[in-house]
Amino acid sequence: MDVIINGERRDMAPHTTVADVVRSLTEENSGIAVAVNDEVVPKAAWAGTTVTENDRVDVLTAVQGG
Amino acid sequence: MTTQISVPAAVDTRDPLVIADREFGSRLIMGTGGAPSLHILEEALLASGTEMTTVAMRRVAPSTQGSVWDVLRRNGIQPLPNTAGCFTTTDALRTARMAREALETNWVKLEVVADERTLLPDPVELLDAAERLVDDGFIVLPYTNDDPILARRLEQLGCAAVMPLGSPIGSGLGIRNPHNIELIVEQAGVPVILDAGIGTASEAALAMELGCDAVLLASAVTRAQEPMLMASAMRDAVTAGRRARLAGRIPVRRYAEASSPTPD
């Protein structure tokens, strides 16, 4: 199953959750926000939200800037 | 013999900056862009005495070491997420909502710029984004042009402060139109924060002397040869400018006015 994670197409196992996607990118879980197809997924819903084929998942954090 | 100089208590201890009912002891808001390392940034933030600091939101990169969010948290500095890099209302709304979720704050420094070369605010997109964010419950601090009418419109929309630029971001050109900044200050019912363009301490002091309630700067400190030293200079400059504003400067005269009594 192809999912677009932070702009890169990746092959993910079926039933992958948003929490799995975050863990694949970073060990942090505070200071992070996730959107699936531009809709913010609240942290409390990460473990219960599965991603599907061709979803666009963006995982953002605070960085130096501005 | 030393003389004790007493600074009025009202100036020193009870002159908080108040934005949206929140009080800040420091009138210097810091940015984080341009620092050579997180360690140097942290030293500079502490030397500046800032109580609120703006950060950008970007995609998580696995290579990122350390986190600016951790720096702010362990030093008790309020994060002010910004929408730097956004060119449209849609971009800005998306970034602000992600920041609210990530940093657990509904405060946002709203930046909607027109192009990469000038990084000047796009007033049409800015007004639209500000209105939508206010409606969505955000405390909106918009980075705006030094245009008194635009500042007024932003305040009318419900922004918690207005943040006119002194000159383009990172330019160090100082305050190019002090007259417009004074016009914005005169009419504003919300705090006015001079944001962008400050290059050195005298310009931060000038912003405060013109009547701004606070100064927001990043590059002047983070790109200085000695960031920590410049941060402490900015801290002093903002305090000095504020005191001078409250003290009331003498009128400018064309000719001399003797300061000693006339000889007998």
Side-chain angles (χ1 to χ4, degrees):
Chain A
M1 171 180 84
D2 273 3
V3 179
I4 299 149
I5 299 171
N6 280 352
E8 283 184 27
R9 185 170 287 276
R10 285 172 50 186
D11 184 25
M12 303 299 282
H15 312 297
T16 294
T17 66
V18 167
D20 295 332
V21 172
V22 172
R23 265 196 301 276
S24 77
L25 290 173
T26 176
E27 291 167 8
E28 291 286 332
N29 79 31
S30 77
I32 308 271
V34 180
V36 176
N37 301 326
D38 292 334
E39 285 296 320
V40 176
V41 181
K43 194 166 292 178
W46 288 0
T49 305
T50 51
V51 293
T52 55
E53 179 88 29
N54 289 324
D55 273 352
R56 281 178 296 108
V57 185
D58 284 303
V59 183
L60 268 60
T61 190
V63 298
Q64 294 177 54
Chain B
M1 183 189 137
T2 58
T3 312
Q4 285 288 326
I5 299 169
S6 84
V7 176
V11 173
D12 241 15
T13 59
R14 285 305 302 162
D15 179 32
L17 167 68
V18 182
I19 306 171
D21 297 329
R22 191 172 297 189
E23 289 192 2
F24 299 89
S26 167
R27 291 175 178 272
L28 178 55
I29 302 171
M30 289 290 295
T32 52
S37 73
L38 261 188
H39 176 65
I40 291 173
L41 175 67
E42 184 165 14
E43 285 183 338
L45 292 179
L46 292 175
S48 76
T50 189
E51 294 174 16
M52 180 159 62
T53 292
T54 188
V55 293
M57 298 299 298
R58 290 292 180 273
R59 285 169 168 171
V60 168
S63 57
T64 310
Q65 294 293 310
S67 134
V68 67
W69 164 237
D70 288 338
V71 169
L72 299 188
R73 270 195 305 182
R74 70 171 163 255
N75 292 298
I77 299 171
Q78 182 183 325
L80 176 62
N82 63 57
T83 61
C86 292
F87 292 85
T88 64
T89 297
T90 310
D91 290 347
L93 294 182
R94 187 190 301 128
T95 303
R97 287 172 183 147
M98 291 290 268
R100 177 166 63 183
E101 175 67 20
L103 306 187
E104 293 160 19
T105 174
N106 60 347
W107 289 49
V108 63
K109 174 187 167 181
L110 175 61
E111 274 185 56
V112 193
V113 297
D115 61 55
E116 292 276 4
R117 195 170 67 88
T118 66
L119 294 178
L120 289 171
D122 181 324
V124 178
E125 295 289 322
L126 181 67
L127 277 177
D128 184 30
E131 184 166 26
R132 289 162 186 255
L133 286 171
V134 168
D135 287 348
D136 198 7
F138 282 88
I139 305 292
V140 181
L141 288 71
Y143 163 64
T144 175
N145 296 290
D146 57 357
D147 174 347
I149 308 309
L150 183 57
R152 186 160 69 206
R153 292 290 296 267
L154 287 163
E155 181 180 343
Q156 286 166 349
L157 287 176
C159 291
V162 288
M163 306 209 294
L165 55 82
S167 52
I169 292 171
S171 69
L173 282 166
I175 300 173
R176 302 317 298 172
N177 196 338
H179 178 65
N180 270 22
I181 299 298
E182 282 184 313
L183 288 177
I184 292 171
V185 165
E186 275 171 25
Q187 69 178 12
V190 293
V192 177
I193 301 167
L194 197 290
D195 180 6
I198 297 292
T200 189
S202 55
E203 293 154 2
L206 174 61
M208 300 305 291
E209 289 168 4
L210 292 171
C212 293
D213 296 280
V215 171
L216 194 163
L217 56 87
S219 305
V221 163
T222 58
R223 298 189 205 275
Q225 288 182 28
E226 300 287 346
M228 199 163 65
L229 193 56
M230 186 60 90
S232 68
M234 291 301 185
R235 174 187 193 149
D236 291 346
V238 167
T239 304
R242 174 66 179 173
R243 286 190 189 158
R245 172 71 180 190
L246 293 176
R249 61 153 300 150
I250 61 167
V252 177
R253 300 168 60 94
R254 213 170 148 70
Y255 298 104
E257 183 180 44
S259 57
S260 336
T262 345
D264 299 324

